[in-house]
């Protein structure tokens, strides 16, 4: 794929030629020059001859596609790595299969080892229920086991793990036979993760970042915080990323602040903002997303027609946090999924704007993670307050549609309103796409596909819009407008792909299409129609440095 001058290591100037370069600077570009950590030139291959003698490396693309590297705007890196290297139940089709996997995993571990697992989803199992504590105790052979639901907002655990957490049965969210939520869940998670050694953590982080690089992801936004990870985990990850051998990591620390001193502590941790998974509510799958109207299916222990989830923050708390962050010059942000939680957040941000000024709040580009159950009023508020919607189309692909988990939780009518990407874009709300890995896998092209072919057709967006939200959108979400695009002067973060023909694609025939006439100058993208193969990553480059390389097959 490439020719290297052995006297120049590492290469300083690279010419890529003979492919397709996805660039607004030249929609017909077939070549690109990179100098150091910046893109120097984009154009047609014929003009590239003038550069050939003065570069340190020539990459012969052989028809491959070059795009900006993806940014995954919501990742839990260590948890992703622990799933990649440990017990993963995301593919278990039945409760019985999940228990078999647990038995096999436990049998290979020493007695007394705390077992960590992830990914069960009882809504997809014919048994229709999670494993009982007795079943887990038997499968784990008496070992402590912490096993998160796919959304990571509830967990099932063994008796041996409960015995390691004093007072656990008195904590809110403890259920004798149902999954743990709330404070009880946080307590057992802290106890389980406290057993992860620095070596295990390093292995997990390396596995996650290596996987990301192999998928053309150049940047991840790490969503950490005191309720879901630890300061040691967070700072170790940022230190690893600073070595420059893998994807960039932009860190968010989910902790409420009330003063400039609090903001200084967030900065000292290396965080970009006090945002990410700062929980306004929980999740729909665990019945903890905060709703205006009750769930259609009552969770265990709740009377039908009365349960509306869990509110973790109120309007005044949101307002105080946003005001303090705005005045300190750092980003604020929240996890909010249910319609009531989103109302709380937008009302709180509005109150902060009344206190410190709308222009200052807008300029800060505060963000909301997930933002699933939006209404016309909250979409309008997002637009007016310049809130970034950090969204995960993989959620809709996994749980949307008339027969999906969302419909079971909310009823078909309410479920059909979830994740309205087209309405957000129409209102001018900036989108940043991500995975929430390990909740859904790192899969950037699959994420773009899910946004285009939304399970509710009216919410689908064009491939061009979704691709932009998954590349440039992540950079804009951190306040950078100069990146995530292949143009002279932009950071040299790009990926090379083996793929089929390029097309201009909209979600369905009712959506206004970009012209497919070449004279329109609209760069094409791979055909993401379900059933087609997704592009295959050949090389990922961050700041001009290759972090993943695979030869053309």
């Amino acid at each position: 794929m490439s020719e290297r001058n052995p006297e120049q290591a590492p290469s300083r100037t690279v010419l890529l030629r003979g492919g397709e370069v996805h660039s607004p600077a030249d929609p017909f570009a077939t070549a690109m020059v990179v100098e150091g950590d910046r893109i120097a030139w984009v154009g047609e291959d014929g003009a590239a001859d003038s550069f050939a003698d003065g570069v340190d490396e020539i990459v012969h693309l052989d028809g491959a596609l070059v795009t900006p590297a993806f940014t995954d705007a919501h990742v839990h890196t260590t948890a992703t790595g622990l799933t990649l290297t440990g017990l993963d139940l995301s593919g278990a089709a039945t409760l019985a299969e999940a228990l078999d996997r647990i038995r096999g995993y436990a049998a290979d571990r020493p007695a007394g080892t705390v077992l960590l697992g992830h990914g069960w989803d009882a809504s997809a199992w014919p048994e229709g229920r999670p494993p009982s504590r007795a079943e887990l105790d038997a499968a784990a052979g008496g070992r402590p086991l912490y096993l998160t639901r796919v959304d990571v907002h509830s967990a099932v655990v063994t008796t041996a793990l409960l015995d390691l957490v004093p007072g656990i049965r008195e904590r809110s969210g403890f259920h004798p036979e149902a999954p743990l939520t709330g404070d009880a869940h946080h307590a057992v998670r802290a106890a389980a993760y406290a057993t992860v050694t620095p070596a295990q953590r390093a292995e997990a982080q390396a596995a996650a970042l290596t996987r990301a690089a192999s998928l053309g992801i150049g940047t991840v936004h790490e969503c950490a915080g005191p309720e879901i990870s630890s300061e040691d985990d967070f700072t170790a990850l940022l230190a690893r990323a600073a070595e420059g051998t893998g994807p960039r990591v932009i860190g968010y620390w989910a902790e409420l602040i009330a003063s400039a001193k609090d903001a200084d502590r967030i900065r000292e941790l290396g965080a970009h903002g006090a945002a990410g998974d700062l929980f306004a509510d929980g999740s729909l799958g665990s019945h903890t997303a905060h709703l205006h109207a009750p769930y259609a299916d009552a969770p265990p222990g709740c009377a039908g027609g009365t349960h509306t989830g869990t509110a973790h923050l109120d309007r005044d708390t949101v307002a105080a946090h946003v005001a303090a962050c705005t005045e300190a010059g750092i980003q604020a942000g929240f996890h909010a999924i249910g319609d009531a939680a989103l109302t709380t957040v937008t009302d709180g941000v509005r109150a902060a704007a009344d206190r410190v000024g709308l222009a200052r709040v807008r300029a800060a580009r505060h963000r909301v993670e997930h933002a699933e159950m939006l209404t016309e009023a909250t979409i309008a508020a997002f637009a007016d307050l310049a809130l970034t919607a950090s969204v995960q189309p993989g959620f809709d692909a996994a749980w949307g549609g008339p027969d999906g988990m969302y419909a079971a939780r909310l009823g078909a009518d309410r479920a059909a309103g979830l994740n309205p990407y087209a309405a957000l874009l129409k209102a001018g709300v900036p989108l940043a796409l991500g995975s929430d890995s390990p909740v859904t896998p790192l899969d950037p092209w699959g994420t773009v596909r899910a946004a285009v072919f939304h399970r509710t057709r009216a919410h689908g967006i064009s491939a061009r819009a979704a691709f932009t939200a998954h590349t440039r959108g992540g950079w804009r979400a951190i306040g950078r407008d100069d990146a995530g695009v292949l143009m002279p002067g932009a950071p040299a973060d790009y990926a090379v792909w083996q793929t089929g023909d390029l097309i201009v694609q909209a979600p369905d025939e009712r959506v206004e299409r970009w012209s497919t006439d070449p004279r329109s100058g609209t760069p094409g993208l791979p055909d993401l129609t379900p059933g087609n193969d997704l592009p295959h990553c050949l090389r990922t480059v961050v700041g001009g440095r290759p972090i993943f390389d695979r030869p053309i097959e």
Side-chain angles (χ1 to χ4, degrees), residues 103-413:
R103 273 189 288 271
Y105 186 80
D108 292 335
R109 270 73 189 170
T113 302
V114 176
L115 308 177
L116 306 176
H118 167 75
W120 61 269
D121 184 0
S123 70
W125 292 344
E127 296 90 346
R129 64 172 181 85
S132 68
R133 189 154 298 132
E135 289 170 328
L136 287 178
D137 288 345
R143 295 170 176 82
L145 168 66
Y146 170 70
L147 195 58
T148 50
R149 190 184 182 278
V150 65
D151 59 9
V152 200
H153 283 270
S154 59
V156 290
V157 302
T158 57
T159 303
L161 182 57
L162 291 178
D163 292 342
L164 297 177
V165 187
I168 185 63
R169 290 166 176 81
E170 284 72 51
R171 288 180 177 262
S172 63
F174 178 83
H175 304 280
E177 286 302 327
L180 305 184
T181 61
D183 288 345
H185 178 211
H186 297 156
V188 295
R189 173 163 50 200
Y193 280 1
T195 67
V196 175
T197 67
Q200 287 175 307
R201 181 174 64 207
E203 179 189 18
Q205 291 176 351
L209 294 176
T210 298
R211 173 66 64 86
S214 75
L215 296 169
I217 297 171
T219 301
V220 300
H221 294 184
E222 166 68 12
C223 292
E227 291 186 343
I228 52 177
S229 56
S230 69
E231 291 186 10
D232 287 347
D233 180 88
F234 186 62
T235 55
L237 175 62
L238 296 182
R240 172 179 289 276
E243 296 171 359
T245 58
R248 303 177 192 267
V249 176
I250 308 298
Y252 286 95
W253 186 254
E255 187 170 339
L256 289 169
I257 73 167
S259 66
K261 183 178 180 180
D262 292 341
D264 287 343
R265 203 185 78 79
I266 297 296
R267 290 192 182 95
E268 289 167 3
L269 283 174
H272 189 78
D277 276 334
L278 184 49
F279 296 118
D281 68 344
S283 74
L284 291 166
S286 291
H287 291 96
T288 52
H290 187 208
L291 312 182
H292 284 303
Y295 282 84
D297 60 338
C302 294
T306 62
H307 184 69
T308 57
T310 306
H312 296 298
L313 302 175
D314 60 23
R315 171 187 174 278
D316 291 343
T317 304
V318 169
H321 180 71
V322 173
C325 287
T326 302
E327 290 178 330
I330 65 174
Q331 271 188 306
F334 304 91
H335 162 120
I337 287 178
D339 51 1
L342 287 160
T343 297
T344 296
V345 167
T346 51
D347 285 352
V349 178
R350 175 75 64 194
D354 292 341
R355 185 182 309 173
V356 302
L358 177 60
R360 293 179 69 190
V361 166
R362 290 175 60 88
R365 302 192 191 188
H366 303 308
R367 53 191 283 172
V368 180
E369 309 302 315
H370 316 309
E372 291 198 83
M373 205 172 174
L374 291 156
T375 64
E376 288 185 10
T378 47
I379 290 173
F382 267 59
D384 188 45
L385 298 165
L387 296 173
T388 294
S390 171
V391 298
Q392 297 76 39
F395 290 6
D396 175 73
W399 304 302
D403 300 319
M405 182 270 288
Y406 289 154
R409 293 289 185 271
L410 302 173
D413 289 344

Side-chain angles (χ1 to χ4, degrees), residues 422 451-463 504-514:
V452 177
F453 296 96
H454 199 291
R455 302 288 293 276
T456 302
R457 294 175 67 189
H459 298 332
I461 58 178
S462 71
V504 179
Q505 191 166 35
D508 63 64
E509 70 278 1
R510 298 173 301 140
V511 176
E512 183 178 354
R513 296 173 179 272
W514 292 91

